[in-house]
Every structure is written in C-alpha cells, then in structure tokens.
Amino acid sequence: MIKLYGFLEGPVATGGWEVTVTCQCGMHLVRRISAKAEDALYDIGISSHEQHEIYHAHCAEQHQGEPFTLEWVDDPSNYQGVRQSDVEVVDWNEHELSSLGDVLRTAFSAQHEKSPTPPENDL
C-alpha cells in the first residue's frame, strides 16, 4: 500500500491555505489553495474523491499499480513519513546564504559569457 500524505503548508498572502499531497516516494502530487483550512481535507480527497485520478495515475506509473492510502498529517515538520530519505534538510544562517549567493552569481555569470550559439534556421 502506497502512502500519500496531505498537510497544510501554511496561509497564503492572498488569502486561503496552501495544501499539499506528497507520496512516500517524495514526489509532490498536488499543491492547491483552499479557501479555508477546514476545506483542505475535501480539496485533496481525504473526505471526498477529489484528486484521486491523479493519485491513481501516479501509483500506476510509479508504483506498479499498487493501491494508495491518503493520510492527513497535522505537523509535517515532525513527521518522518513526509521526509525523503535521500534529501538532507539544511538550516542556513544569513552569512551562509550570502556566501552561497556569491558563489552562484559567479558561476552563472561565467556561463552567460559563454552563451551557446543559436541553432541555425533551416527554412
């Protein structure tokens, strides 16, 4: 049985709540904005059949057609099932982010100087 986890990401600046469904394999399947937090369970298919076509298609394609179960997670930050085993969560401080930004700007500006030649038009 494939486990799919639904949870609130948080409030959205424009109003409503962002709700996500993630498969145990780590793939994000649904990301929606629900008008109210209470609507999230319906919108992602825990208390309805909304989005189930997406879940069935994912399980058919990625998990040899195994059935799925949809589970609501109140606090995804403390729930192991939502975490991907091959992804490390890193907490960056302001200095580390600034240093990384400098490295990326240097790397990408060097690549822009060597832009590839455009493909020729065969018309």
Side-chain angles (χ1 to χ4, degrees), residues 39-51:
D39 296 339
L41 295 171
Y42 182 88
D43 292 345
I44 63 168
I46 290 181
S47 63
S48 70
H49 289 289
E50 297 291 315
Q51 313 302 328

Side-chain angles (χ1 to χ4, degrees), residues 44-108:
I44 63 168
I46 290 181
S47 63
S48 70
H49 289 289
E50 297 291 315
Q51 313 302 328
H52 281 222
E53 289 178 17
I54 293 170
Y55 308 148
H56 284 294
H58 170 75
C59 288
E61 186 176 304
Q62 299 294 322
H63 302 290
Q64 294 77 41
E66 281 192 58
F68 66 88
T69 182
L70 192 54
E71 183 178 321
W72 182 257
V73 178
D74 286 321
D75 186 3
S77 65
N78 291 326
Y79 192 77
Q80 278 305 114
V82 177
R83 297 174 186 239
Q84 296 179 34
S85 59
D86 60 341
V87 175
E88 180 183 355
V89 177
V90 179
D91 188 19
W92 297 78
N93 67 36
E94 188 174 330
H95 175 70
E96 292 168 325
L97 281 174
S98 178
S99 296
L100 178 61
D102 292 341
V103 169
L104 291 173
R105 275 189 291 281
T106 302
F108 284 112

